[in-house]
Amino acid sequence: MIFEAVDNKGGEKNLVGNKVHGDKAYTVNFGFEYNLGSFTPMFAYQWANQDDGKKTHMFGLSAKVPVAGGDVLAGARYLFGKDEAITTGDDKVRAWNIGAAYIYPLSKRTAVKAYAGYADGAKAWKDTEKVVYNGYQVYLGLRHAF
């Protein structure tokens, strides 16, 4: 469990609608995983009260499975809440994303990583110029620890 707080003292304040934002931000993160031998299920929760009036809850489920000498990781996340920075229409926000990765160790310090994921925003984040939440990401990379 992690609690984060930012006071932004001396920082710039923004006027959104009739509210002043930029004072404080709080986040609570909770995660849990349990190795069952053949796979490791994971759960995550996050509550956030962020700058610009974003108040959200996020739930995530994922799993890690050993496959062909490496690990397959797959997960999904759902987020809902309010975004007071959106001044037109409904300020309720919804979003979800899915992703999968494969990590193959080449040595104790080096691994090849591949990932593909998709995110989709709904409600107030669906068609806004400020936040573009819909999209995908694909990458292939090499990680080396020093």
Side-chain angles (χ1 to χ4, degrees), residues 4-141:
E4 299 174 75
V6 178
D7 64 9
N8 288 323
K9 288 184 179 177
E12 200 173 304
K13 297 189 185 330
N14 300 318
L15 182 63
V16 178
N18 61 355
K19 296 183 180 178
V20 175
H21 296 284
D23 288 335
K24 296 181 178 149
Y26 302 101
T27 306
V28 175
N29 297 287
F30 173 77
F32 176 80
E33 71 177 57
Y34 190 77
N35 187 343
L36 296 173
S38 60
F39 76 103
T40 303
M42 296 170 253
F43 168 79
Y45 170 76
Q46 180 187 69
W47 170 82
N49 183 353
Q50 301 169 342
D51 289 344
D52 297 329
K54 292 178 188 74
K55 296 174 182 156
T56 59
H57 297 272
M58 182 278 302
F59 294 92
L61 290 173
S62 58
K64 179 172 75 170
V65 180
V67 174
D71 290 320
V72 171
L73 296 94
R77 179 180 82 147
Y78 181 71
L79 178 142
F80 64 94
K82 294 175 81 173
D83 186 348
E84 295 173 357
I86 297 172
T87 57
T88 58
D90 193 4
D91 65 353
K92 289 184 175 34
V93 294
R94 303 275 188 271
W96 60 270
N97 68 316
I98 57 172
Y102 184 71
I103 301 172
Y104 184 79
L106 298 174
S107 69
K108 286 185 178 184
R109 298 177 8 173
T110 305
V112 174
K113 298 172 76 174
Y115 171 80
Y118 178 77
D120 185 71
K123 297 271 188 180
W125 282 349
K126 187 172 184 163
D127 296 314
T128 180
E129 293 177 19
K130 184 175 182 182
V131 178
V132 179
Y133 201 85
N134 301 342
Y136 64 91
Q137 180 181 19
V138 177
Y139 75 79
L140 176 64

